[in-house]
Amino acid sequence: MILYIQTNPNNPILRQKAREVKEITAEIKQLILDMIETMEKAPGVGLAAPQVGQSLRVIVAKTSRDEKSETISLINPKIKKSSWKKALAEEGCLSLPQQSYLLIKRPVKIKVEGLNPEGAKVKIKAEGLLARIIQHEVDHLDGVLIVDK
Ligand SMILES: [Zn+2]
């Protein structure tokens, strides 16, 4: 099901710290499937649960912009390490459709941990675009938008 994307940057749900997922219920699994569908349709390369009105620590991301892209779903993601090296690149946000792309500086490599929809712990080493997407989505879980950067 395509979900409605919150596009008011003053909406409290986009501005608060999202809650940890305590139990991966059928509703959470369905939310993830719906978030993936919504991201694909938008189209976008990442989506965080607060953007679809759920204050929960859940993100989905595409691993690249091409047709070989895979989709990553992470529950309670935590960035464990960030590279010292940073890079500037343009970012947009599905919740800020009126905002033009902004140049955002972020670490180029990260290590992130979280749970997959089956409840297994996953560790991902990401760099480049994927590292950027994950950091952008984790920011959403902490109520941070690119206009704040
Ligand atoms: Zn965003």
Side-chain angles (χ1 to χ4, degrees):
M1 187 176 77
I2 305 283
L3 303 169
Y4 176 75
I5 299 177
Q6 305 292 320
T7 53
N8 176 356
N10 301 316
N11 186 329
I13 205 145
L14 289 176
R15 293 319 211 150
Q16 69 200 26
K17 228 174 137 66
R19 281 179 287 119
E20 291 249 328
V21 173
K22 297 267 188 264
E23 192 191 348
I24 303 170
T25 58
E27 286 76 18
I28 296 286
K29 290 183 184 185
Q30 188 59 48
L31 171 66
I32 290 169
L33 292 175
D34 290 344
M35 283 172 63
I36 292 169
E37 197 180 339
T38 304
M39 170 178 71
E40 303 273 355
K41 180 83 193 316
V45 289
L47 195 64
Q51 293 182 276
V52 291
Q54 298 287 330
S55 188
L56 291 166
R57 303 189 81 79
V58 175
I59 65 170
V60 296
K62 302 197 77 164
T63 56
S64 68
R65 288 189 194 277
D66 58 35
E67 69 283 353
K68 281 185 281 181
S69 170
E70 290 172 35
T71 303
I72 289 174
S73 313
L74 275 180
I75 297 163
N76 301 336
K78 278 199 184 80
I79 294 171
K80 293 291 192 177
K81 261 189 176 176
S82 300
S83 64
W84 169 82
K85 193 180 166 195
K86 295 183 179 183
L88 272 176
E90 285 190 328
E91 288 183 27
C93 181
L94 293 174
S95 289
L96 301 168
Q98 323 83 321
Q99 174 70 50
S100 49
Y101 281 44
L102 292 174
L103 273 174
I104 308 288
K105 192 181 233 181
R106 296 193 191 270
V108 294
K109 287 186 187 179
I110 57 162
K111 283 184 187 168
V112 63
E113 289 183 13
L115 300 175
N116 69 16
E118 286 70 49
K121 194 168 178 180
V122 289
K123 294 181 183 184
I124 298 169
K125 279 186 192 176
E127 63 178 288
L129 178 67
L130 180 59
R132 182 169 289 278
I133 296 168
I134 291 171
Q135 291 174 81
H136 177 119
E137 302 314 330
V138 171
D139 273 352
H140 274 300
L141 304 183
D142 293 325
V144 175
L145 299 174
I146 51 174
V147 286
D148 305 327
K149 289 278 182 183

